[in-house]
Amino acid sequence: MREALFYQKADDHVVICNLCPWYCELKPGQTGICKVRENQEGQLVTHVYNQVAALGTDSIEKKPLYHFFPGKNILSIGEVGCNLHCSFCQNHHISQCYAKDFKAFHTVTSEQILITALKTKNNIGVAYTYNEPFTFYEFMLDTAKLVKEKNLKNVVVSNGYINTEPLKHILPLIDAFNIDLKAFENDFYKTFTKGKLEPVLETLKIIAAHKNHLEITNLVIPGLNDNDKIFEEMVKWIAGELGTHIPLHLSRYFPQYKLVLPPTPIEKLNQFYSTAKKYLQHVYLGNVNDEGHASTRCPNCHALLIERNHYLTKIVQNDFKGTCTACGTPAHVIMK
Ligand code: SF4
């Protein structure tokens, strides 16, 4: 347990947490919506400092990040808790669990994570992922500082539901983000995640303006967020506000947790792929077996640059260093 960052004290030992847009106002003994931060006698504490629920080595493509050190590995850690409550969550066993109820934590220090990252083969750094990493902000911050000092990379895979001040505080330490943009309608956020759209858009704008590497994932759920017009508005917004070079991963939905619907039809994904490609240079389909829609091509001459088959990645173009060697167009891929 550790005192939390970003909160203020009010009368009668009440605390107000400023980490995320919920601004939970907690009386002594109460726990925030994220299920990991608690008011203990007028002090906000986090129950997940040093408390790791999942640790493993993944390919960077699995985050998914396709334009950030393709073919490399990343040591990945997760804890428990989330500040959104999505009815379709793929990791609900750790994200929707109270820290105090979770029985399988491993106590792991930031120093131990760094040592493991340095020992791991073909590894570029540490990814904060699996559950919502901003709910273990304090531990992520301290670990990211050590990781950065050793010139390794920090990657955050997040729902983007965080306030501006804590986001800006950690931005200089984070090399790459994959942010979920779950829909482009506030009603969807309200009904299926319990959150709001606007803070996520703000997070995306801040990350893009700061020029951290950014990729976006959109899970396409049939009948819920697959309206053609709204989808086109979303990709136009990404292109206009964030940049046409931002990679967009369209992910196929499969039934999960509380939401049981048929999987996204492949035709719908292909249609959205075509729509998104009108505005964005790099669009990918995820959760499907489709090499053609997972590979990276030059946005200008369409030369094949990086081939992907599931999580097997091959740099195809000779001497590719992020810019197409055939025509000289940047492909916005970070290679070193
Ligand atoms: S981080 Fe947790 S406690 Fe803080 S405002 Fe968000 S949900 Fe509430």
Side-chain angles (χ1 to χ4, degrees):
M1 196 177 346
R2 172 79 51 126
E3 185 175 11
L5 297 172
F6 300 103
Y7 78 99
Q8 66 202 72
K9 295 183 177 181
D11 294 341
D12 300 324
H13 301 292
V14 167
V15 300
I16 300 162
C17 178
N18 297 321
L19 183 61
C20 93
W22 286 106
Y23 293 103
C24 292
E25 202 174 311
L26 305 171
K27 292 179 187 158
Q30 287 186 325
T31 300
I33 284 171
C34 56
K35 299 183 166 75
V36 303
R37 292 159 91 82
E38 182 189 359
N39 181 343
Q40 284 200 346
E41 297 168 13
Q43 185 183 65
L44 186 66
V45 299
T46 165
H47 283 288
V48 287
Y49 195 88
N50 280 357
Q51 298 299 297
V52 172
L55 189 147
T57 304
D58 291 333
S59 68
I60 191 76
E61 281 74 19
K62 205 171 171 184
K63 297 301 100 189
L65 288 174
Y66 280 12
H67 285 233
F68 190 74
F69 295 91
K72 297 288 186 183
N73 289 329
I74 189 135
L75 182 71
S76 300
I77 63 167
E79 303 201 341
V80 302
C82 186
N83 52 356
L84 293 183
H85 296 170
C86 303
S87 53
F88 47 89
C89 182
Q90 296 178 13
N91 287 331
H92 57 92
H93 56 292
I94 52 172
S95 72
Q96 303 302 319
C97 172
Y98 279 92
K100 287 204 285 192
D101 295 340
F102 192 73
K103 301 286 180 245
F105 279 128
H106 297 277
T107 302
V108 185
T109 64
S110 299
E111 289 77 9
Q112 287 169 324
I113 289 170
L114 175 65
I115 290 167
T116 309
L118 288 166
K119 278 190 200 157
T120 304
K121 269 191 169 172
N122 199 32
N123 182 47
I124 57 163
V126 176
Y128 310 90
T129 175
Y130 302 136
N131 72 315
E132 173 47 48
F134 285 125
T135 61
F136 58 92
Y137 187 98
E138 293 76 9
F139 185 55
M140 176 164 66
L141 183 71
D142 288 352
T143 308
K145 281 179 191 163
L146 294 184
V147 167
K148 194 81 173 169
E149 278 171 18
K150 292 290 177 195
N151 286 324
L152 293 177
K153 306 298 176 194
N154 286 303
V155 164
V156 167
V157 181
S158 168
N159 61 28
Y161 211 59
I162 180 155
N163 286 337
T164 302
E165 192 193 345
L167 175 62
K168 286 189 172 169
H169 184 72
I170 204 167
L171 269 183
L173 295 172
I174 308 301
D175 299 283
F177 287 87
N178 185 300
I179 301 288
D180 266 352
L181 181 52
K182 294 173 192 287
F184 205 56
E185 272 183 296
N186 196 50
D187 278 354
F188 177 95
Y189 265 87
K190 221 168 118 191
T191 308
F192 297 105
T193 78
K194 308 296 175 218
K196 289 178 282 187
L197 169 64
E198 197 50 44
V200 181
L201 299 183
E202 193 53 32
T203 292
L204 288 167
K205 286 198 271 187
I206 291 169
I207 294 170
H210 200 268
K211 305 227 180 300
N212 300 63
H213 180 75
L214 171 64
E215 303 191 21
I216 296 174
T217 298
N218 175 235
L219 178 75
V220 181
I221 307 175
L224 301 189
N225 66 353
D226 64 347
N227 178 281
D228 295 349
K229 197 165 156 276
I230 295 169
F231 178 79
E232 189 155 0
E233 277 171 25
M234 182 179 85
V235 289
K236 274 163 125 172
W237 182 89
I238 295 171
E241 292 286 341
L242 311 177
T244 58
H245 64 287
I246 302 290
L248 174 65
H249 300 264
L250 299 174
S251 194
R252 190 182 191 201
Y253 160 87
F254 287 95
Q256 291 284 351
Y257 194 31
K258 296 176 182 168
L259 191 70
V260 181
L261 293 170
T264 324
I266 297 292
E267 304 72 43
K268 189 77 195 179
L269 289 166
N270 286 336
Q271 181 205 327
F272 274 12
Y273 177 91
S274 302
T275 303
K277 281 291 281 177
K278 287 197 278 176
Y279 303 96
L280 299 171
Q281 295 171 17
H282 302 287
V283 182
Y284 301 102
L285 297 187
N287 279 349
V288 292
N289 189 7
D290 183 343
E291 208 177 305
H293 287 140
S295 297
T296 301
R297 290 184 173 273
C298 170
N300 179 45
C301 73
H302 307 295
L304 184 61
L305 307 174
I306 305 166
E307 201 170 63
R308 293 186 189 84
N309 187 354
H310 291 283
Y311 292 116
L312 290 176
T313 299
K314 192 172 154 201
I315 314 293
V316 174
Q317 194 177 58
N318 285 337
D319 294 328
F320 178 68
K321 292 188 175 60
T323 293
C324 176
T325 56
C327 73
T329 302
H332 300 283
V333 181
I334 298 173
M335 303 290 286
K336 66 173 183 176

